[in-house]
C-alpha cells in the first residue's frame, strides 16, 4: 500500500477516449481562426478591403508581433494564477468577440477610424489566441505523466488541427465564387461572403469550445502531487549526472528543443503560405488543383499523425523526427527539380503533409518530455518555444518576400 501511495496519480490515471476527444476539441476554434488568418487575410485586405499591400502586410505583421510577445506573458500567468480552463475561457471570449471584426467588410477601410478598428481587433484577437494556445498546450503534462500518452495527446491535437484546416478550406470553397475568373479575382462586393465564412467558422469553433469545457473535467488538470512519479522516465533528456545544480531544466536542452519546434513550425507555415503560389505557378490542373492539392496534403498529414504513435513506440522520437526531416527535404527537392506535371504536384503535397505532421507532433512530444513531472512550469516552457517560433517565422517570411 505504501508503494502504491507513493506513485504519482498522473501515472495511474488512464485517459479515456472521451477525455482525449474532449481535449482535442479545446483548440479547434484556434485552429479554425489560424487557418483563416494565414490563408486568406492578405487576400481579403488587398482585394476586398482595398488596403494597399504595405498596409495589409503591416496588419498581418502586427498580429504576429502581438502573438509573439503575449505568448510568454500568458506562459507566466497560466502557471501562476487561476486555473488553465479559466484562461482558456478568457482567451476564447477575446477571440469570438474580435475575430469576426477582422473580416467585417467595413466600407471606406482607409479611414482612420476603420484602421483603428482593425488594429484593436487584430491585437485583441491575437492576445486571446495566445491565451488559448498556451493554456491548452499546458494541459498535456497535467493530464498524464506518461511520455507515450503525452505523444498520443499531441498527435490527436494535431489531427484535430488538420481537420479544422480542412473545414476552413471546405467552407471557403463552398461560399466563395466557383467560376475560374472569380476565384482568382476577388473584389469588394465579395465582402459578405467572407463575413458568412467567418460566422460559420465562429459557430463551429464555439460549439467545439463548449463541448471541450463540458466533457473535459477540471479535476483531471489538477496535479495533486507534481513532484512524485517516474522521475527517471522524464529526466532522460534533461539530466546531466556530472552537473545537476537543482535546475529543473537545462537551458541548453531547452534551446535545442525550441529550435526543433521552430524548425517544424517554420516548415508548416511556409508550406501553408506558399503552397497556393506553387500551384498557381505550375499552372497544372487549373481550379481543381487549388481545391484538391491542399486537401490531399491535409489528408496525408492527418493519416501520418494518427499512425505516428505506433512508429514512435518502436523507433523513438529521434528516429521519427529524422524520418520527417528526410521526407521534408525530399519534398523540397522534388518541387525544385521534379518538373510541373500533375503527378509531381500531388506527390509533393503528400510528402509535405506527412513531413509537417511527423516533425510537428514529434517536436511537441519532446517539449512535453522535458517538462516531465514538473507540470507547474509547463505553460512557460511552451510559451518560450512558441515565442521563438513567431519571431523566426516572421523574419523568414519577410526575407522571402524581400527576395
Amino acid at each position: 500500500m505504501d508503494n502504491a501511495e507513493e506513485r504519482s496519480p498522473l501515472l495511474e490515471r488512464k485517459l479515456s477516449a472521451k477525455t482525449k476527444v474532449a481535449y482535442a476539441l479545446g483548440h479547434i476554434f484556434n485552429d479554425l481562426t489560424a487557418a483563416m488568418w494565414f490563408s486568406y487575410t492578405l487576400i481579403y485586405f488587398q482585394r476586398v478591403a482595398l488596403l494597399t499591400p504595405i498596409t495589409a502586410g503591416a496588419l498581418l505583421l502586427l498580429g504576429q508581433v502581438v502573438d509573439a510577445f503575449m505568448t510568454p506573458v500568458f506562459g507566466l500567468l497560466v502557471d501562476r494564477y487561476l486555473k488553465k480552463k479559466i484562461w482558456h475561457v478568457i482567451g476564447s471570449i477575446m477571440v469570438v468577440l474580435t475575430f469576426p471584426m477582422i473580416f467585417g467588410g467595413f466600407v471606406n477601410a482607409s479611414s482612420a477610424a476603420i484602421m483603428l478598428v482593425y488594429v484593436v481587433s487584430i491585437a485583441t484577437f491575437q492576445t486571446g489566441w495566445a491565451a488559448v494556445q498556451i493554456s491548452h498546450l499546458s494541459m498535456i503534462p497535467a493530464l498524464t505523466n506518461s511520455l507515450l500518452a503525452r505523444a498520443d495527446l499531441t498527435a490527436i491535437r494535431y489531427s484535430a488541427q488538420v481537420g479544422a484546416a480542412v473545414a476552413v478550406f471546405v467552407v471557403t470553397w463552398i461560399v466563395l465564387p466557383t467560376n475560374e475568373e472569380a476565384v482568382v479575382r476577388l473584389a469588394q462586393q465579395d465582402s459578405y461572403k467572407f463575413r458568412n465564412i467567418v460566422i460559420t467558422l465562429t459557430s463551429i469553433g464555439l460549439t467545439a469550445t463548449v463541448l471541450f469545457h463540458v466533457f473535459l473535467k477540471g479535476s483531471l488538470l489538477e496535479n495533486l502531487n507534481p513532484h512524485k512519479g517516474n522521475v527517471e522516465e522524464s529526466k532522460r533528456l534533461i539530466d546531466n549526472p556530472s552537473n545537476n545544480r537543482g535546475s529543473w531544466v537545462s537551458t541548453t536542452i531547452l534551446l535545442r528543443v525550441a529550435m526543433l519546434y521552430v524548425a517544424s513550425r517554420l516548415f508548416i507555415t511556409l508550406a501553408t503560405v506558399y503552397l497556393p503560389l506553387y500551384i498557381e505557378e505550375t499552372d497544372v490542373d487549373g481550379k481543381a488543383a487549388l481545391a484538391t492539392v491542399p486537401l490531399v496534403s491535409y489528408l496525408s498529414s492527418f493519416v501520418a499523425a494518427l499512425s505516428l504513435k505506433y512508429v514512435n513506440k518502436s523507433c523513438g522520437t529521434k528516429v521519427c523526427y529524422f524520418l520527417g526531416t528526410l521526407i521534408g527535404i525530399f519534398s523540397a527537392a522534388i518541387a525544385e527539380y521534379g518538373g510541373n506535371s500533375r503527378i509531381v504536384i500531388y506527390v509533393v503535397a503528400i510528402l509535405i503533409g506527412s513531413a509537417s505532421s511527423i516533425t510537428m507532433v514529434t517536436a511537441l512530444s519532446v517539449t512535453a518530455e522535458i517538462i516531465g513531472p514538473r507540470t507547474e512550469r509547463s505553460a512557460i516552457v511552451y510559451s518560450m518555444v512558441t515565442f521563438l517560433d513567431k519571431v523566426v517565422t516572421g523574419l523568414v517570411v519577410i526575407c522571402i518576400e524581400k527576395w
Side-chain angles (χ1 to χ4, degrees):
M1 289 294 294
D2 292 339
N3 292 335
E5 290 177 357
E6 290 178 359
R7 294 176 184 175
S8 169
L10 290 175
L11 289 173
E12 296 297 322
R13 181 181 297 156
K14 299 291 184 180
L15 295 180
S16 65
K18 184 181 76 171
T19 299
K20 294 178 181 179
V21 173
Y23 174 78
L25 292 173
H27 206 257
I28 284 183
F29 197 4
N30 259 24
D31 294 331
L32 291 170
T33 58
M36 188 73 184
W37 172 262
F38 284 112
S39 299
Y40 297 106
T41 301
L42 283 179
I43 294 177
Y44 174 81
F45 281 157
Q46 294 184 50
R47 297 185 181 177
V48 179
L50 302 181
L51 299 179
T52 62
I54 187 64
T55 303
L59 289 175
L60 186 67
L61 180 61
L62 169 67
Q64 293 304 103
V65 170
V66 172
D67 190 4
F69 283 96
M70 290 308 299
T71 293
V73 171
F74 282 111
L76 294 172
L77 294 177
V78 171
D79 279 335
R80 296 185 180 184
Y81 308 102
L82 303 179
K83 297 180 179 180
K84 293 177 174 60
K85 291 188 73 174
I86 295 178
W87 286 113
H88 191 280
V89 171
I90 294 173
S92 298
I93 292 174
M94 296 174 72
V95 171
V96 75
L97 291 179
T98 54
F99 178 63
M101 300 290 290
I102 300 174
F103 299 89
F106 299 110
V107 296
N108 192 20
S110 60
S111 69
I114 297 303
M115 287 305 300
L116 180 61
V117 171
Y118 277 134
V119 170
V120 173
S121 298
I122 290 173
T124 308
F125 160 66
Q126 293 290 357
T127 300
W129 200 97
V132 173
Q133 181 194 35
I134 296 304
S135 61
H136 191 257
L137 279 172
S138 66
M139 293 177 188
I140 295 178
L143 285 171
T144 177
N145 224 20
S146 167
L147 301 182
L148 289 177
R150 289 179 179 181
D152 194 19
L153 281 176
T154 303
I156 293 173
R157 181 183 185 274
Y158 186 81
S159 299
Q161 176 184 336
V162 174
V166 172
V168 171
F169 171 78
V170 171
V171 171
T172 303
W173 191 252
I174 292 174
V175 176
L176 286 181
T178 56
N179 64 76
E180 294 283 350
E181 188 71 14
V183 169
V184 179
R185 303 182 186 277
L186 294 171
Q188 191 173 20
Q189 59 265 27
D190 294 313
S191 62
Y192 76 95
K193 296 174 183 176
F194 278 93
R195 186 165 57 247
N196 292 341
I197 292 171
V198 170
I199 291 174
T200 302
L201 297 180
T202 301
S203 301
I204 297 173
L206 271 179
T207 302
T209 301
V210 171
L211 292 176
F212 162 76
H213 284 282
V214 169
F215 291 106
L216 186 67
K217 303 304 180 183
S219 58
L220 296 177
L221 301 173
E222 299 305 315
N223 191 353
L224 301 177
N225 203 348
H227 297 286
K228 292 183 180 181
N230 192 350
V231 179
E232 294 301 322
E233 179 186 28
S234 61
K235 281 185 175 182
R236 64 188 181 88
L237 277 185
I238 63 175
D239 276 358
N240 184 350
S242 64
N243 186 24
N244 187 357
R245 301 177 180 178
S247 175
W248 74 279
V249 62
S250 167
T251 302
T252 303
I253 296 297
L254 181 58
L255 287 175
R256 291 178 186 176
V257 173
M259 289 298 100
L260 203 68
Y261 180 88
V262 167
S264 305
R265 285 293 307 167
L266 185 62
F267 184 83
I268 293 177
T269 302
L270 294 181
T272 302
V273 172
Y274 291 106
L275 185 59
L277 293 176
Y278 169 66
I279 297 170
E280 186 181 60
E281 287 185 2
T282 54
D283 196 23
V284 175
D285 228 8
K287 183 184 68 176
L290 292 174
T292 55
V293 173
L295 183 59
V296 168
S297 181
Y298 290 142
L299 292 177
S300 173
S301 181
F302 181 76
V303 172
L306 291 180
S307 59
L308 186 59
K309 66 177 181 179
Y310 303 106
V311 180
N312 194 20
K313 287 181 181 179
S314 58
C315 299
T317 54
K318 288 186 177 180
V319 174
C320 283
Y321 195 89
F322 183 68
L323 175 63
T325 302
L326 289 180
I327 295 174
I329 294 173
F330 190 45
S331 69
I334 294 179
E336 178 67 20
Y337 303 109
N340 296 335
S341 68
R342 180 180 181 182
I343 295 177
V344 168
I345 293 177
Y346 285 99
V347 169
V348 169
I350 292 173
L351 294 177
I352 286 177
S354 300
S356 300
S357 180
I358 294 172
T359 54
M360 192 68 253
V361 172
T362 305
L364 284 171
S365 299
V366 173
T367 306
E369 190 171 348
I370 69 167
I371 293 173
R374 303 298 183 96
T375 60
E376 73 277 5
R377 294 295 181 89
S378 58
I380 189 60
V381 174
Y382 282 117
S383 68
M384 290 173 65
V385 296
T386 53
F387 170 79
L388 290 175
D389 153 47
K390 301 299 189 305
V391 173
V392 173
T393 300
L395 293 176
V396 171
V397 171
I398 289 174
C399 290
I400 292 176
E401 289 301 309
K402 183 178 180 180
W403 292 335

